[in-house]
Amino acid sequence: MIRRTTVQLAAMCGAEMNEAAARRADAVICGVATDSRRPAEGRLFIPLSGERFDAHDYVGDAFAGGAAASLWQAGRPVPEALAGRPLLLVDDTLAALQRLAAAYRGQLPATVIGITGSNGKTSTKDMTASVLARRLRVHKTEGNLNNHIGLPLSILAMDENTEAAVLEMGMSGFGEIERLTRIARPDVAVITNIGDAHLLQLGSREGIAKAKLEIAAGLKEGGVLLINGDEPLLREGAKRAEGYGKWRLETFALGREDGWSAKLLAATAKESAFTIRPPEGPEWPGEFRVPVPGRHNVANALAAAAVGALLGLDPESIRQGLGAVKLSAMRLETTHAANGAVVLNDTYNASPASVKAMIAFVGELTGYRRKWLVLGDMLELGPDENRLHYETGAAANPDRIHAVLAVGERSKHTVRGAAERLGPERAIHFADKDALVRRLLAELAPDDLVLVKGSRGMRMEEVVHALVRG
Ligand code: ATP
Ligand code: MG
């Protein structure tokens, strides 16, 4: 984590030291803290204000917990209890946190990899870190800390001797990725894909592509922008993004002729095997495996392999790195219904792209008698939500999917789409989860498979729990 003297920190975040801080100007401070309930020992406390609280109220607690100094919004009266405490006065504590992270990044020799995209950011981040860790000292975003607060904190958590940092960048509107990339200054920027998440805020898929491509704004000169080659909007958008500076474009995709390419060899509910061909060919010898399910994870693994090669790793190290992948939050969990049927719990979240990816994935699985899709609404899709639900339902292939069962107002359109392909008996809408579970339990065979998925707000895990209870 960051290790600097008080006066250095003040300079890095553009702060003015109060008297107590100036007296300790040369004292070394290690790390930052934003939550006074977590250990702040020896750290710089950064009081951020949220919707319902202002952490300035907890600066006293942070000092009681051993904080070495704290940021403080200039002009705000300093309470009696904090007299004599070292404070660094700034215009805005959030902006100061971001300046501090940007300055720290600028002082570090590490190669930075920034990862954005509608889906697969965390998975690709974990895979990339696993690959790079075969040869380099790696730091990665912990969990999902990918926003305007999490990204700076991820950077400040980095050790001085880090060789490669893999950072996730999330967004929900225009300008957010640009802000993050200008802080992180990536050497390699990855866009996993574009989906339909945040359509509401961004208006169209073109808008989503444009917002993701903002990542090029912070790319280091001579860096690489690695995009999903299957997405025309990214390819076209990347040409326009050239205005952001001098970098090189590379693409990755399953089964394409150009760019980084992977060919799927086998897919089970636990892992996938595939081959990899670099843009200049020929195919790397041998097969590669990732111990996580889904075709979409092969695309994520391909991006990770490409980053590994861009940083100079050999195919053998990349093979080992992918084989050792452990995802931070394994979103797709496999459990069993009371009668033994396999239940794929992917209820963490859902968007049209991720649901279609899962429908394709389930479709490819073999060894199950019937495959059921249990789908809840996808939220925050904006004015096109009916069409997007319809299209998602229509992605169910009648030769591969037995039935689509759905709950939620919007999912009526999913069922309408599915019925076009499967017929009305195999595409059914339910008024509530209880009714759906009753029907499914009545028909489910022990050698069947069920995928359960929906947006977070739909709490589709309740269906999984009910199936497990039986
Ligand atoms: P968040 O926006 O919540 O941070 P994320 O982009 O980090 O999400 P992951 O956590 O890696 O994404 O994956 C979330 C879900 O997205 C997975 O469970 C899977 O269903 C789906 N997913 C992962 N990778 C892809 C991909 N390349 N294409 C489509 N869907 C994907
Ligand atoms: Mg994530």
Side-chain angles (χ1 to χ4, degrees):
M1 62 182 81
I2 185 170
R3 211 185 131 82
R4 292 286 185 273
T5 62
T6 312
V7 64
Q8 285 171 334
L9 288 175
M12 290 165 82
C13 59
E16 205 176 301
M17 293 185 283
N18 75 352
E19 252 182 63
R23 273 201 306 277
R24 296 179 183 77
D26 294 325
V28 172
I29 296 178
C30 262
V32 300
T34 56
D35 184 343
S36 59
R37 293 161 301 182
R38 306 259 302 268
E41 189 77 46
R43 296 176 184 242
L44 173 69
F45 186 68
I46 301 181
L48 300 172
S49 43
E51 270 165 32
R52 264 169 291 154
F53 65 90
D54 186 331
H56 279 90
D57 298 338
Y58 305 110
V59 172
D61 294 351
F63 278 117
S70 177
L71 293 190
W72 188 267
Q73 191 184 340
R76 196 183 173 102
V78 178
E80 195 79 11
L82 294 179
R85 296 293 198 178
L87 300 177
L88 306 184
L89 310 176
V90 294
D91 53 344
D92 175 277
T93 52
L94 173 61
L97 165 66
Q98 295 172 342
R99 285 197 296 270
L100 179 60
Y104 186 51
R105 155 59 177 136
Q107 296 169 3
L108 296 180
T111 302
V112 172
I113 293 95
I115 299 181
T116 191
S118 295
N119 305 98
K121 297 179 290 296
T122 300
S123 311
T124 304
K125 180 257 303 178
D126 289 335
M127 291 184 193
T128 303
S130 178
V131 164
L132 298 180
R134 304 310 294 188
R135 286 279 170 272
L136 302 168
R137 266 192 300 276
V138 172
H139 173 82
K140 67 172 180 176
T141 297
E142 201 181 302
N144 203 34
L145 285 175
N146 66 14
N147 67 7
H148 58 295
I149 297 169
L151 176 96
L153 292 176
S154 294
I155 292 175
L156 294 169
M158 217 192 291
D159 284 332
E160 199 97 35
N161 66 0
T162 300
E163 292 172 314
V166 190
L167 302 173
E168 174 170 343
M169 300 183 189
M171 59 128 221
S172 51
F174 286 117
E176 295 177 20
I177 293 291
E178 173 156 0
R179 175 155 63 152
L180 301 183
T181 186
R182 289 194 190 280
I183 296 170
R185 300 300 317 276
D187 298 274
V188 180
V190 182
I191 306 180
T192 57
N193 63 11
I194 65 165
D196 308 284
H198 307 298
L199 253 190
L200 192 55
Q201 295 90 329
L202 298 169
S204 62
R205 293 186 88 250
E206 283 78 1
I208 297 174
K210 189 156 174 262
K212 307 291 180 202
L213 283 159
E214 288 175 7
I215 199 168
L219 252 184
K220 285 266 195 83
E221 203 171 311
V224 174
L225 176 63
L226 178 66
I227 61 168
N228 186 323
D230 268 338
E231 181 48 73
L233 291 174
L234 284 177
R235 285 172 169 268
E236 287 153 26
K239 286 187 209 125
R240 285 193 294 276
E242 276 167 6
Y244 282 134
K246 283 198 170 50
W247 39 265
R248 192 170 88 241
L249 182 69
E250 298 208 3
T251 64
F252 69 94
L254 266 70
R256 276 185 73 99
E257 290 304 311
D258 57 342
W260 289 90
S261 165
K263 204 161 72 211
L264 190 62
L265 299 175
T268 70
K270 291 216 161 63
E271 63 160 20
S272 300
F274 52 96
T275 57
I276 295 180
R277 204 199 53 226
E280 69 282 5
E283 198 169 272
W284 284 344
E287 69 180 49
F288 291 74
R289 288 172 180 274
V290 264
V292 286
R295 187 188 184 82
H296 53 284
N297 275 320
V298 176
N300 298 339
L302 177 62
V307 173
L310 287 168
L311 267 67
L313 270 74
D314 56 290
E316 194 45 45
S317 304
I318 292 169
R319 184 180 349 262
Q320 289 168 9
L322 290 178
V325 158
K326 283 192 189 61
L327 301 190
S328 355
M330 177 56 175
R331 264 80 188 268
L332 179 65
E333 287 172 18
T334 308
T335 52
H336 294 273
N339 74 346
V342 172
V343 179
L344 298 179
N345 178 359
D346 196 27
T347 58
Y348 171 78
N349 223 333
S351 64
S354 68
V355 177
K356 283 186 208 155
M358 282 308 299
I359 294 177
F361 163 60
V362 168
E364 281 166 11
L365 295 176
T366 51
Y368 303 97
R369 185 149 84 99
R370 292 174 304 184
K371 292 178 276 188
W372 304 77
L373 303 179
V374 174
L375 303 175
D377 287 358
M378 301 176 285
L379 307 176
E380 289 186 29
L381 293 180
D384 278 341
E385 59 179 8
N386 293 352
R387 178 178 59 80
L388 291 165
H389 279 82
Y390 175 86
E391 287 173 4
T392 303
N397 178 336
D399 299 330
R400 297 171 167 226
I401 302 295
H402 172 65
V404 171
L405 311 184
V407 280
E409 261 320 289
R410 299 167 186 81
S411 294
K412 287 182 177 158
H413 299 279
T414 312
V415 166
R416 205 161 50 78
E420 295 272 341
R421 307 278 316 270
L422 311 178
E425 293 82 35
R426 287 161 61 191
I428 309 168
H429 187 265
F430 293 86
D432 55 49
K433 290 176 198 149
D434 284 344
L436 187 155
V437 168
R438 272 198 305 277
R439 170 73 177 263
L440 182 52
L441 282 175
E443 295 199 22
L444 195 64
D447 48 356
D448 282 356
L449 176 137
V450 185
L451 167 77
V452 188
K453 192 162 173 72
S455 274
R456 192 78 295 278
M458 295 298 293
R459 306 186 55 81
M460 294 300 286
E461 65 277 11
E462 291 169 3
V463 171
V464 175
H465 299 150
L467 292 174
V468 170
R469 278 195 306 271

